[in-house]
Every structure is written in structure tokens, then in C-alpha cells.
Amino acid sequence: MQDIIQLLPDNIANQIAAGEVIQRPASAVKELLENAVDAGATEIKLLVNDAGKALIQVIDNGKGMSETDARMAFERHATSKISNIDDLFRIKTMGFRGEALASIAAVAQVELKTKRDEDEAGIYLEIENSIVKKQEPVAAATGTSIAMKNLFFNVPARRNFLKSNPSELRHIVDEFIRVAMAFPEIFFSLSSNGQQVFHLEKGTLKQRIVQILGNNYAAKLVSVQERTDYLDISGFVGKPETAKKTRGDQYFFVNNRFIKSAYLNHAVMSAFAAMIPKDSFPMYALFIDLDPAQLDINVHPTKQEIKFEDEKIVYAFVQSAVKHALAQFSITPTLDFELDASIQNMDAVNKPATDEHRSSASSSSLFATFTQKNKAHFIEKRSELTHWKDFYEKPVSVDTPSFTPLEIPLMEKAVIAEAPSPHCTPAQLHAAYIVVQNEKGYLLINQQNAHERILYERFAAAVSGKAIATQQSLFPSTIDLAPADAVLLAELIPDLEQLGYKLEPFGSGTFVINGTPADVEQQNEKMAIEKMLEQYKHFSNDLKFSKREKLLRSLSLQRSVKAGNILSCKEMTALVDELFLCDIPNATPTGKPTYMSFKKDEMDRMFGR
Ligand code: ADP
Ligand code: MG
């Protein structure tokens, strides 16, 4: 018999090891940001495309690497941060196991550019499947840029396992915030698909908290500051009135590393006891610093749990430090805690409040979820609408609740229970609304919003899958466009083709329309395209989505059935049925509600039944 045991090739071993360190785009983001911090950077920029699935790039102005180090960095167990076992007990850096870059290089296509101050030229490396594909000198500024493309391109099973873009992006933002919060003396920025989400100027911790969590906290932070021989605690807690109904703005850092600890969270909550309503959550960002020897370093560094040598001491300490801070604040309510004028006037503090910012914020899935106001708005409006009186006094269109993309998926589950009862006849109101009964009461559906949602999902499926059937034009018409519009349209041709529009550029702004989707009337094809372009340009000014996303949104808006159209019973039934087959039936792609739900219980109560 032959021997059967073999050593795994390095790239396979690395791929397997990578699974532990890089579970999703956000894990890579964390590792790369921490490396930049460890390299002593004072400016760190994070760029992601497609929620990190297509690209994660971190650019820092840290100390850079020599040519040999740059090659070495991607080997497993290659680290500059520890050299012997004793170092483990003194560790002050974020990383030390030397696994991150090796893992990243095993599961993505990596491009590294790095230069040290003392070197003339920098070094450029391309690595794929743990193998160096290219190495050459390059002109570069001092620091390091690492771009990882197409995460899990060679591990399809893992790639398929990734969640939707909003969900992965949310994880990325969480990691970004955790690092940015811990290092207010470092400039951080985050752009997603070319749109800037965070731009955090260097400053104090207080300024950083306000930059990240919003202006609402500006004058509402209570400083926590205690020093002992055993450990120090510093940071801020929100004044009791800022406590929220949702957990969220709560951060613990131990030696500047973000940790999760239900135990320490309990310590803070108990300090707040009596001062905030039950079921509400105070904001806190607390930093515990202690001798690394007091921590169990064997806990996996990518995990966020931590083991203290003596947990009880830390608990008691956190609790009393927060109590002490709160007590001081209630004796001297204004003196200590007003932000001084110089801070108030800082751009970074003022910025989140400008209208421009707010509107771009509300269109971004991210910012919106970090402003407390937005959530409160959402909660208020929803509960208001369950009251009939308010409903009649305030027409829905005047003060529409707008859901953020994050909120929309969160509501998905609740929606299933609301689907209309089968075989019930819908009724139309004012040629704009459809009323339909469901198990618990009835739904009031806005026909245009509902149709927008349906079309959006249909079109989205078409661009990434089976194309929509085209009806060939009998007499192809032409369309003449201004140069800028012609450029726009030319870019959209491949996607439009999937959507059933066959267009052919004919030079100098002219396009031939060879076909349109079957449901676009033949004589209207030219107008349909002009209107679509107009809508598309409108979106271009407002929002910075991908071209495809803008196209999908424009088309669904433009093609949706508008108010004023009287619908037949059959049309209404089809619309309602299709709406509830959608992945996200409860809102338009831009976040307007598609329907409101009214409960029979409440009707009964109103009529004293
Ligand atoms: P670890 O951070 O645990 O040491 P990594 O795999 O993350 O392991 O990085 C390996 C080594 O590469 C680091 O120890 C460091 O010397 C170097 N390195 C990584 N990223 C950077 C960076 N942005 N700037 C300078 N050096 C870096
Ligand atoms: Mg590292």
C-alpha cells in the first residue's frame, strides 16, 4: 500500500485558515483599518464598492513597508508586532497574529502599494490565490494602500453565503465606526460606491462621537473619567433624556479595542437605573485601559468578547464611575457639559445639520440609521397612522414617513401576516388608492407606489437574469439627443436591452429604436425613452447610486400607473397580488410606503363594538 497523507499546498491551507479570520467583507475592513492604525497613520481612508464584495480599499499615511516586508506581510504567521511569547502579555497593537494579510491574499485579488519615508520608490504587488503575480517599483506617497477585489472570487460557496448589500454594508459601517470612535486623533473617511458616507476630521473624543452619532448628542454628553492603579476609565455617556428605545449607540473599548460585553453593559444600565424609563437604552462610549497582563490574551482576537482577570472589579468600577458622572451632572447640570463655542462652530459638528447633508443622509442607507431623529420620526409616524382621526386630519401625502433601506428589510417579516385575504374584491378610491381586506382588518394601498415597487423588482430581476421580451418596431424610429444625453443613453444601452429596449447608436446623438418592451405602445416609444432619460437625470442630481440602480428607479417611476388612472377589478387584483409577491412589498425603492394597514379591532373600538 502507498502512503496517503500529503501536505496541503500553501494556498489551500491559507484558504482554510482564512475562513476563520475573514468571514465577510466587514472582517477584512476591520483587519485593514487596524493595520493602518498600527502603522501609525494619521489619515485613513476606506473605500468600498458593492458593500465590499467588489472592492475594499484602505489607504493610509502610516509608516509603510520595505520591499522585503511587503512580500513577507502576506505569509502566514508573519507579523512585526510580537517576536516572543512574553510580548503577548504586553501587546498594545490591534493585531499580532500575523494572519490577516495572508488570509486576505488567499480569498481575494490584492493590490498593495506601499512606501516608507526613507525609500526613494515604493513597491507595488499584485497577489492572487496567495501567489505574487506582479511586483514592481512604483512612485508613491509614504504610507500604504491595500485594495482587495472580488472577495471570495475563488471560494464561491463563501461568496454565495454573503448577505445582501445593505446588510453587508451595515456590518462594514459598524466596524468602521468601532475603529474611528477609538481613534479620534486620526482622520477617517468612508466612501461607498463613490459616495462619501463619513468624513471624520481629527478632534477630541467628544467631537468624534458627535460626528458619528449626530448633533443631537452635542450638548448631551456627560464625561466619565476615573483613574486608579488597577485601571482607568474615560469616555462619555449620554444624558438620560437621550436614551433611546433601541439599543445601538453603545460602545465599550478595552485598551482601544472594541469589545462586546453583556456583563459590563449591565453595569452601565444599573448605574442609569431610576434615571431612564425601563426598556430604553442610554448612549455610551467608554474606554477602559488596563495592563494587558490583566486580560486573557488567548481569546481569539477576531472575536469581540474579552476575558478580564478579575471581572467583578471591572464591573464595580464601571458602575461607580458612571454613577459618579451622572451624579455630578445632575448637581451642576449646565456648567461642565455645554460644548464650548469653538467646538460648536466646527465644521464637523455643524455639518450633519445642514439641509444638504440631511437630504443626502436620508437617501443614504447609512447615515439615516445613525441619526436618532430619523428613528424617532419613524416610530412616531407609524403609530400616529393607526389613529383614524389623525389620518383624516393629516393626509398621508403631506407627511409621508420615509423608511430607510435598513428599516425596510427589518419590516419584511411583519409584512407576511398582512397579505390580503384571497378572493376578496378590491375597491378603488379617488382613482389613486386601492382598499382590500385582510385577515386583521384592511389595507389601503397607494396604486402608484405599489406599482413602482412591483416594476422595480421585475426590472431588477431582468437586468441580472432573464431579459424582458422585446417587441420589434415595425417602422424603427429615431431619437436625436443633445451630446450629454447621448453619452448617458449610450452607457445605458446594455442594461436597457435586458429591459426590453433595443437601441442602436447612429452617431452624432442619434439613436435608432429597434424595439421596446411589449407593454410600451409603439407610437409612444420615443416619448418613453425621453421621459426615462429625464427621470434618470433627475436621479443623477439627487442621488449617487450606481447607473443601473438609477436606471431601475427611473424606469419604475416613469412606467408606474399614476393617480388618476381608473383600474378594473382585474387590474387591481393583479396589482395587489403582485405586490405581495415582492421581496419587499411595503415600500417603494425610495422608501415611500406602498400601503397602510388598519385593524378591525380598532374600527370596532371606534364604533363602540
Ligand atoms: P498582524 O497585524 O497581526 O501583524 P497582518 O497580517 O495584519 O498581521 O499584517 C502583517 C504585517 O504586515 C504587520 O505586522 C505589519 O508589519 C505589516 N503591515 C500590514 N499592514 C500594514 C500597513 N497598512 N502599513 C504598514 N505595515 C503593515
Ligand atoms: Mg493586522
Side-chain angles (χ1 to χ4, degrees):
M1 281 284 269
Q2 263 194 329
D3 296 330
I4 52 171
I5 298 179
Q6 315 176 346
L7 277 178
L8 286 174
D10 270 356
N11 59 335
I12 308 270
N14 284 341
Q15 253 180 38
I16 295 169
E20 252 196 86
V21 186
I22 309 297
Q23 278 138 5
R24 51 165 24 119
S27 347
V29 163
K30 170 175 182 285
E31 296 294 339
L32 294 178
L33 290 177
E34 289 185 349
N35 279 350
V37 169
D38 283 345
T42 57
E43 279 183 19
I44 300 175
K45 295 176 196 148
L46 167 64
L47 296 97
V48 300
N49 282 347
D50 231 358
K53 295 171 188 172
L55 172 78
I56 297 171
Q57 183 170 20
V58 172
I59 305 167
D60 70 53
N61 66 348
K63 65 180 182 220
M65 284 177 261
S66 71
E67 184 175 339
T68 317
D69 283 351
R71 289 285 297 246
M72 270 295 280
F74 292 93
E75 297 292 329
R76 203 133 49 98
H77 310 304
T79 178
S80 55
K81 297 168 194 173
I82 54 170
S83 52
N84 61 52
I85 195 75
D86 289 338
D87 288 347
L88 266 187
F89 301 97
R90 296 191 281 266
I91 193 86
K92 280 280 186 189
T93 51
M94 308 293 282
F96 56 86
R97 292 176 26 139
E99 281 182 323
L101 291 188
S103 302
I104 285 169
V107 293
Q109 294 151 338
V110 176
E111 291 170 19
L112 168 81
K113 208 200 260 186
T114 187
K115 189 183 95 68
R116 298 182 304 175
D117 216 16
E118 63 262 44
D119 296 333
E120 278 280 288
I123 175 88
Y124 174 81
L125 279 183
E126 255 178 52
I127 303 178
E128 192 177 299
N129 260 329
S130 306
I131 295 161
V132 177
K133 292 259 147 147
K134 197 181 209 177
Q135 170 171 353
E136 58 193 28
V138 68
T142 299
T144 302
S145 155
I146 297 191
M148 46 179 295
K149 299 182 173 169
N150 305 319
L151 179 60
F152 300 136
F153 76 103
N154 52 355
V155 206
R158 290 203 80 97
R159 193 168 174 96
N160 294 338
F161 197 68
L162 294 177
K163 300 267 172 24
S164 67
N165 282 3
S167 154
E168 293 298 345
L169 196 54
R170 178 64 211 231
H171 284 289
I172 289 177
V173 169
D174 284 346
E175 292 296 353
F176 174 86
I177 287 180
R178 289 162 186 176
V179 180
M181 185 87 90
F183 297 94
E185 68 282 9
I186 300 177
F187 166 91
F188 283 93
S189 66
L190 163 59
S191 316
S192 163
N193 295 333
Q195 183 182 10
Q196 190 157 73
V197 183
F198 286 101
H199 179 97
L200 307 174
E201 295 293 352
K202 297 172 198 174
T204 63
L205 174 61
K206 195 186 235 177
Q207 288 161 347
R208 183 58 52 97
I209 292 173
V210 171
Q211 287 171 334
I212 294 176
L213 300 181
N215 227 358
N216 332 18
Y217 286 115
K220 305 247 160 91
L221 296 174
V222 179
S223 155
V224 178
Q225 184 78 257
E226 307 281 344
R227 278 175 199 290
T228 68
D229 289 344
Y230 183 69
L231 54 74
D232 297 343
I233 182 168
S234 62
F236 293 92
V237 295
K239 286 187 184 175
E241 72 253 34
T242 62
K244 295 203 230 170
K245 285 279 175 251
T246 50
R247 191 190 295 274
D249 300 338
Q250 302 189 327
Y251 302 87
F252 264 117
F253 301 87
V254 172
N255 293 349
N256 266 15
R257 183 191 295 279
F258 173 83
I259 59 145
K260 281 186 183 147
S261 167
Y263 188 65
L264 294 186
N265 177 62
H266 190 271
V268 179
M269 294 298 278
S270 70
F272 268 91
M275 302 182 81
I276 55 173
K278 257 198 150 68
D279 316 319
S280 65
F281 302 91
M283 173 270 159
Y284 60 80
L286 294 171
F287 292 75
I288 296 168
D289 286 299
L290 79 175
D291 183 349
Q294 297 299 324
L295 299 172
D296 184 352
I297 212 72
N298 284 320
V299 176
H300 196 296
T302 62
K303 294 226 176 85
Q304 288 154 340
E305 287 81 30
I306 198 163
K307 268 190 81 146
F308 295 99
E309 211 48 36
D310 193 334
E311 269 201 321
K312 289 210 183 80
I313 294 185
V314 184
Y315 182 98
F317 187 75
V318 168
Q319 186 191 35
S320 64
V322 174
K323 265 190 179 163
H324 186 207
L326 288 171
Q328 278 191 332
F329 132 75
S330 49
I331 299 165
T332 51
T334 49
L335 260 172
D336 288 357
F337 306 105
E338 291 292 299
L339 275 186
D340 64 48
S342 64
I343 298 175
Q344 291 279 23
N345 291 331
M346 267 189 55
D347 223 20
V349 174
N350 286 318
K351 249 188 203 158
T354 67
D355 273 345
E356 187 196 355
H357 226 86
R358 219 176 263 144
S359 73
S360 82
S362 62
S363 64
S364 129
S365 54
L366 304 158
F367 238 98
T369 57
F370 292 109
T371 56
Q372 183 188 20
K373 227 181 180 166
N374 226 291
K375 283 223 166 89
H377 167 83
F378 166 59
I379 293 162
E380 277 161 26
K381 289 297 177 323
R382 290 290 282 176
S383 47
E384 248 172 39
L385 281 164
T386 56
H387 297 293
W388 269 90
K389 226 175 119 236
D390 290 355
F391 177 60
Y392 276 120
E393 279 168 10
K394 295 181 206 151
V396 181
S397 57
V398 172
D399 205 0
T400 316
S402 181
F403 305 135
T404 68
L406 182 72
E407 284 158 354
I408 295 168
L410 290 180
M411 292 187 297
E412 265 175 81
K413 285 218 177 64
V415 163
I416 310 296
E418 302 204 306
S421 318
H423 315 301
C424 80
T425 317
Q428 197 182 23
L429 302 179
H430 303 288
Y433 291 93
I434 300 168
V435 188
V436 66
Q437 179 181 324
N438 70 0
E439 203 184 284
K440 297 212 183 76
Y442 71 92
L443 303 176
L444 185 63
I445 299 171
N446 180 287
Q447 68 190 38
Q448 177 176 351
N449 288 2
H451 198 210
E452 248 181 83
R453 164 53 62 186
I454 294 166
L455 291 176
Y456 175 81
E457 293 201 5
R458 195 186 292 162
F459 296 157
V463 287
S464 56
K466 197 169 171 292
I468 289 177
T470 300
Q471 176 179 261
Q472 296 295 331
S473 311
L474 285 179
F475 307 100
S477 52
T478 59
I479 178 169
D480 293 312
L481 297 175
D485 291 355
V487 173
L488 267 185
L489 189 61
E491 287 178 338
L492 298 174
I493 286 181
D495 275 344
L496 278 170
E497 180 143 353
Q498 284 293 109
L499 293 164
Y501 299 83
K502 296 260 182 308
L503 295 172
E504 205 185 317
F506 225 69
S508 60
T510 303
F511 294 80
V512 179
I513 307 171
N514 287 322
T516 50
D519 50 350
V520 170
E521 270 182 71
Q522 290 259 310
Q523 294 84 343
N524 282 343
E525 54 210 8
K526 209 171 140 180
M527 203 164 71
I529 287 169
E530 280 166 354
K531 274 195 178 160
M532 183 279 296
L533 260 186
E534 207 172 290
Q535 189 63 54
Y536 181 87
K537 285 193 286 183
H538 179 73
F539 273 117
S540 306
N541 298 336
D542 273 18
L543 313 161
K544 298 187 182 67
F545 293 110
S546 70
K547 292 196 185 91
R548 172 174 290 178
E549 180 68 21
K550 280 186 280 194
L551 175 65
L552 294 177
R553 287 176 181 223
S554 323
L555 265 187
S556 39
L557 204 101
Q558 183 237 321
R559 297 270 302 276
S560 58
V561 52
K562 308 293 182 305
N565 282 299
I566 295 174
L567 303 179
S568 71
C569 190
K570 216 171 126 193
E571 287 169 326
M572 284 190 278
T573 309
L575 191 95
V576 174
D577 286 351
E578 268 196 76
L579 177 65
F580 281 89
L581 286 176
C582 284
D583 284 343
I584 303 174
N586 45 319
T588 65
T590 48
K592 290 184 202 138
T594 50
Y595 67 85
M596 301 282 166
S597 145
F598 296 86
K599 304 243 160 22
K600 178 166 180 296
D601 289 2
E602 284 171 20
M603 294 191 262
D604 288 346
R605 223 174 299 137
M606 274 182 282
F607 289 96
R609 290 282 149 199

